[in-house]
Amino acid sequence: MKYLGIMALAAAILGSSTTAQAANVQITAQNPVIELSISEQVDSRPDTATFNTGVETKAATATQALRDNSRKATMMIDKLKSLGIAEKDIQTTGINLNADYEYDRASKTNRFVGYRVSNQVQATVRDISNLGTILDALVSSGGATNLNGPYFSIDDDNTVKQLARERALANGKQQAENYAKASGYSGVRVLSIAEGISNSAPGPMPANRMMVAQEESVPVAPGQVGTSVNLNITYEMTR
């Protein structure tokens, strides 16, 4: 069990009237209230990985640079599809055209040499056991010039969320009852619950660690993804 912290045990005189608010609904409590902020995290093995890749080309003219880039980008996307990635899991995230300069040491100025075009794509792999092979094949024969990621996640995390939610509720009730009994009350009742959910995973693998020799498969360790449910719960102490 993990806690983000206890916000406050409301200062109130026994028998006084306290008001708790949730979703613009006024709920009047006849006894003191307890406000808790509780977090519960459930770790599980990811089943989905997302990475970003792309191609970059240079040419003397903008038109030629764009044409060369379009040809290579098409080859790269076709390669992704041939590696088993569905078309719906391939998305273009950016196409950039910029003037290209080189620094001239003699004149100490930037000299215009042409144009640079990049096409970036995001791809989602739903069978992460093949991720290393896909990354290796993409660089060695797919023409990709850069890689970023992977970012691991759970495709359907409803079951994990529900487990974290149940643990957080049980944890919150136990803590609230402890406060109530210490204050001379017998139990608690829930007045309001507000929820927040977050996911955490190991950071992306640096691109230079992915660019291994062509005859080797890229090692990938998916680890675990943490799904956290954060609850802000208000209880009323009961006799």
Side-chain angles (χ1 to χ4, degrees), residues 2 5 26-27 31-33 38 62 65 67-69 77 100 121-123 125 135 148 165 186 202 218 230:
K2 302 178 182 178
Q26 297 287 334
I27 301 176
N31 299 309
V33 300
I38 300 173
R67 286 176 178 171
D68 292 345
N69 189 270
I77 292 173
D100 192 23
V121 170
Q122 183 179 81
V125 179
L135 295 177
N148 289 287
R165 192 177 290 120
S186 61
V218 179
N230 308 305

Short mmCIF file of all heavy atoms in Angstrom, two decimals, residues 2 5 26-27 31-33 38 62 65 67-69 77 100 121-123 125 135 148 165 186 202 218 230:
data_model
loop_
_atom_site.label_atom_id
_atom_site.label_comp_id
_atom_site.label_asym_id
_atom_site.label_seq_id
_atom_site.Cartn_x
_atom_site.Cartn_y
_atom_site.Cartn_z
N LYS A 2 0.51 2.24 -0.77
CA LYS A 2 1.30 3.45 -0.87
C LYS A 2 0.39 4.65 -0.68
O LYS A 2 -0.74 4.68 -1.14
CB LYS A 2 2.02 3.53 -2.22
CG LYS A 2 2.93 2.33 -2.46
CD LYS A 2 3.58 2.41 -3.80
CE LYS A 2 4.45 1.19 -4.06
NZ LYS A 2 5.06 1.18 -5.37
N GLY A 5 -0.27 10.92 0.87
CA GLY A 5 -0.23 11.71 2.07
C GLY A 5 -1.61 11.95 2.60
O GLY A 5 -2.61 11.84 1.90
N GLN A 26 -23.92 19.96 -2.24
CA GLN A 26 -23.69 20.22 -0.84
C GLN A 26 -24.19 19.05 0.01
O GLN A 26 -25.35 18.67 -0.07
CB GLN A 26 -24.43 21.51 -0.42
CG GLN A 26 -23.95 22.76 -1.15
CD GLN A 26 -22.58 23.23 -0.64
OE1 GLN A 26 -22.24 22.95 0.49
NE2 GLN A 26 -21.84 23.92 -1.49
N ILE A 27 -23.28 18.47 0.79
CA ILE A 27 -23.66 17.38 1.68
C ILE A 27 -23.36 17.83 3.10
O ILE A 27 -22.21 18.13 3.43
CB ILE A 27 -22.88 16.09 1.36
CG1 ILE A 27 -23.14 15.65 -0.09
CG2 ILE A 27 -23.27 14.97 2.32
CD1 ILE A 27 -22.35 14.45 -0.51
N ASN A 31 -21.40 15.30 11.95
CA ASN A 31 -20.22 15.02 12.77
C ASN A 31 -18.96 15.50 12.04
O ASN A 31 -19.01 15.86 10.85
CB ASN A 31 -20.13 13.52 13.06
CG ASN A 31 -21.33 13.01 13.82
OD1 ASN A 31 -21.69 13.57 14.86
ND2 ASN A 31 -21.94 11.95 13.31
N PRO A 32 -17.82 15.51 12.72
CA PRO A 32 -16.58 15.92 12.07
C PRO A 32 -16.26 15.05 10.86
O PRO A 32 -16.68 13.90 10.78
CB PRO A 32 -15.53 15.73 13.18
CG PRO A 32 -16.29 15.82 14.44
CD PRO A 32 -17.63 15.22 14.16
N VAL A 33 -15.53 15.60 9.91
CA VAL A 33 -15.17 14.86 8.70
C VAL A 33 -13.67 14.63 8.63
O VAL A 33 -12.87 15.33 9.28
CB VAL A 33 -15.63 15.60 7.42
CG1 VAL A 33 -17.13 15.78 7.42
CG2 VAL A 33 -14.92 16.93 7.28
N ILE A 38 -5.29 9.37 -1.06
CA ILE A 38 -4.67 8.03 -1.06
C ILE A 38 -4.30 7.61 -2.48
O ILE A 38 -5.06 7.85 -3.42
CB ILE A 38 -5.63 6.99 -0.45
CG1 ILE A 38 -5.96 7.40 0.99
CG2 ILE A 38 -5.04 5.60 -0.50
CD1 ILE A 38 -7.03 6.55 1.61
N ALA A 62 14.85 22.56 -52.46
CA ALA A 62 13.79 22.10 -51.57
C ALA A 62 12.96 21.01 -52.25
O ALA A 62 12.58 20.02 -51.61
CB ALA A 62 12.91 23.28 -51.16
N ALA A 65 14.90 17.71 -52.23
CA ALA A 65 14.98 17.17 -50.87
C ALA A 65 13.66 16.53 -50.45
O ALA A 65 13.63 15.47 -49.84
CB ALA A 65 15.38 18.27 -49.90
N ARG A 67 11.27 15.36 -52.53
CA ARG A 67 11.03 14.16 -53.34
C ARG A 67 11.83 12.97 -52.81
O ARG A 67 11.30 11.86 -52.69
CB ARG A 67 11.41 14.44 -54.79
CG ARG A 67 10.42 15.33 -55.54
CD ARG A 67 10.91 15.63 -56.93
NE ARG A 67 9.94 16.44 -57.67
CZ ARG A 67 10.19 17.00 -58.85
NH1 ARG A 67 11.37 16.81 -59.44
NH2 ARG A 67 9.26 17.71 -59.45
N ASP A 68 13.12 13.21 -52.51
CA ASP A 68 13.95 12.13 -51.99
C ASP A 68 13.41 11.62 -50.66
O ASP A 68 13.37 10.41 -50.40
CB ASP A 68 15.39 12.61 -51.81
CG ASP A 68 16.09 12.90 -53.14
OD1 ASP A 68 15.57 12.46 -54.18
OD2 ASP A 68 17.15 13.56 -53.10
N ASN A 69 12.96 12.56 -49.84
CA ASN A 69 12.45 12.17 -48.52
C ASN A 69 11.15 11.39 -48.65
O ASN A 69 10.94 10.40 -47.93
CB ASN A 69 12.24 13.42 -47.66
CG ASN A 69 11.92 13.07 -46.22
OD1 ASN A 69 10.76 12.91 -45.86
ND2 ASN A 69 12.95 12.94 -45.40
N ILE A 77 7.69 3.21 -44.33
CA ILE A 77 6.34 2.83 -43.91
C ILE A 77 5.98 1.44 -44.44
O ILE A 77 5.38 0.63 -43.73
CB ILE A 77 5.33 3.89 -44.38
CG1 ILE A 77 5.55 5.20 -43.62
CG2 ILE A 77 3.89 3.39 -44.19
CD1 ILE A 77 4.72 6.35 -44.13
N ASP A 100 19.57 24.31 -44.99
CA ASP A 100 20.70 23.61 -44.40
C ASP A 100 21.95 24.48 -44.53
O ASP A 100 22.24 25.01 -45.60
CB ASP A 100 20.90 22.27 -45.10
CG ASP A 100 21.87 21.38 -44.35
OD1 ASP A 100 22.05 21.58 -43.14
OD2 ASP A 100 22.45 20.48 -44.99
N VAL A 121 7.55 9.39 -37.96
CA VAL A 121 6.41 8.48 -37.86
C VAL A 121 6.39 7.85 -36.48
O VAL A 121 7.44 7.54 -35.91
CB VAL A 121 6.51 7.37 -38.94
CG1 VAL A 121 5.47 6.28 -38.70
CG2 VAL A 121 6.33 7.97 -40.32
N GLN A 122 5.18 7.67 -35.96
CA GLN A 122 5.01 6.94 -34.70
C GLN A 122 4.38 5.58 -35.00
O GLN A 122 3.40 5.51 -35.74
CB GLN A 122 4.12 7.72 -33.73
CG GLN A 122 3.96 7.05 -32.37
CD GLN A 122 3.09 7.85 -31.43
OE1 GLN A 122 1.87 7.79 -31.49
NE2 GLN A 122 3.72 8.64 -30.58
N ALA A 123 4.95 4.53 -34.44
CA ALA A 123 4.46 3.17 -34.69
C ALA A 123 4.17 2.47 -33.37
O ALA A 123 4.89 2.65 -32.38
CB ALA A 123 5.47 2.37 -35.50
N VAL A 125 3.58 -1.25 -31.58
CA VAL A 125 3.79 -2.70 -31.70
C VAL A 125 2.94 -3.39 -30.65
O VAL A 125 3.08 -3.10 -29.45
CB VAL A 125 5.28 -3.05 -31.50
CG1 VAL A 125 5.49 -4.56 -31.60
CG2 VAL A 125 6.14 -2.34 -32.54
N LEU A 135 12.87 -3.33 -34.65
CA LEU A 135 13.78 -2.18 -34.61
C LEU A 135 15.04 -2.44 -35.43
O LEU A 135 15.51 -1.57 -36.17
CB LEU A 135 14.13 -1.85 -33.16
CG LEU A 135 12.97 -1.39 -32.27
CD1 LEU A 135 13.46 -1.18 -30.84
CD2 LEU A 135 12.34 -0.12 -32.81
N ASN A 148 13.46 6.76 -31.55
CA ASN A 148 13.26 7.21 -30.18
C ASN A 148 12.21 6.33 -29.52
O ASN A 148 11.17 6.07 -30.08
CB ASN A 148 12.80 8.67 -30.16
CG ASN A 148 13.89 9.63 -30.55
OD1 ASN A 148 14.82 9.88 -29.80
ND2 ASN A 148 13.80 10.16 -31.77
N ARG A 165 -8.10 0.57 -7.69
CA ARG A 165 -9.22 1.32 -7.09
C ARG A 165 -9.73 0.62 -5.83
O ARG A 165 -9.97 1.25 -4.80
CB ARG A 165 -10.32 1.45 -8.14
CG ARG A 165 -11.42 2.42 -7.81
CD ARG A 165 -12.40 2.51 -8.97
NE ARG A 165 -11.83 3.18 -10.13
CZ ARG A 165 -11.70 2.61 -11.32
NH1 ARG A 165 -12.08 1.35 -11.53
NH2 ARG A 165 -11.18 3.29 -12.32
N SER A 186 -17.29 5.44 16.37
CA SER A 186 -17.27 4.00 16.10
C SER A 186 -16.97 3.65 14.65
O SER A 186 -16.54 2.54 14.36
CB SER A 186 -18.61 3.38 16.49
OG SER A 186 -19.67 3.95 15.73
N PRO A 202 9.10 2.48 -17.48
CA PRO A 202 10.52 2.81 -17.64
C PRO A 202 10.71 3.81 -18.77
O PRO A 202 9.95 3.82 -19.74
CB PRO A 202 11.14 1.45 -17.99
CG PRO A 202 10.19 0.43 -17.45
CD PRO A 202 8.83 1.04 -17.60
N VAL A 218 18.03 -6.36 -31.51
CA VAL A 218 18.08 -5.34 -30.46
C VAL A 218 17.51 -5.91 -29.16
O VAL A 218 16.37 -6.38 -29.13
CB VAL A 218 17.27 -4.10 -30.88
CG1 VAL A 218 17.31 -3.05 -29.78
CG2 VAL A 218 17.83 -3.53 -32.18
N ASN A 230 -5.44 7.58 -7.81
CA ASN A 230 -5.35 8.54 -6.72
C ASN A 230 -6.76 8.95 -6.31
O ASN A 230 -7.53 9.44 -7.14
CB ASN A 230 -4.57 9.78 -7.16
CG ASN A 230 -3.23 9.42 -7.76
OD1 ASN A 230 -2.43 8.73 -7.12
ND2 ASN A 230 -2.98 9.85 -8.99
#
